[in-house]
Amino acid sequence: MLRALSEKVLAGEQLGREDARGLLEAAPFDLFAVAGRLREHFRGREARLCSIVSVKTGGCSEDCAYCAQSRLAGGGPGGKSNRLGSRALRWLKVPDR
């Protein structure tokens, strides 16, 4: 299944909901291997690295929405700690566990 999905991506096709559901069922290391091959195909062998600097200590001047330490992420009391994951699961219509 992963081979067919990766060929679909390489052909420039967009993955649908059923394809995304299939990714959820894939073995993690197989998924990582395919993702690595796709990344290398589209982005090359170089990767940029970054490190998380604690916003709370004043070490980072940014407030990125994707960062778990951002006030925008809503991870504080009463907030949702994984907004992106929650939205993705709703989009896939995966029932709560």
Side-chain angles (χ1 to χ4, degrees), residues 10-81:
L10 291 171
E13 296 179 42
Q14 199 164 0
L15 299 182
R17 286 186 178 170
E18 288 303 315
D19 297 327
R21 282 192 190 105
L23 293 174
L24 290 174
E25 296 171 2
F29 288 110
D30 293 341
L31 188 59
F32 297 154
V34 169
R37 286 194 293 272
L38 291 172
R39 180 204 45 81
E40 189 172 325
H41 174 81
F42 289 106
R43 305 293 294 174
R45 292 186 54 90
E46 290 186 26
R48 293 188 308 167
L49 302 176
C50 65
S51 61
I52 295 177
V53 178
S54 174
V55 174
K56 295 174 185 171
T57 62
C60 181
S61 61
E62 304 298 323
D63 200 10
C64 305
Y66 61 84
C67 180
Q69 297 187 36
S70 168
R71 68 178 168 78
L72 300 174
K80 292 182 181 175
S81 61

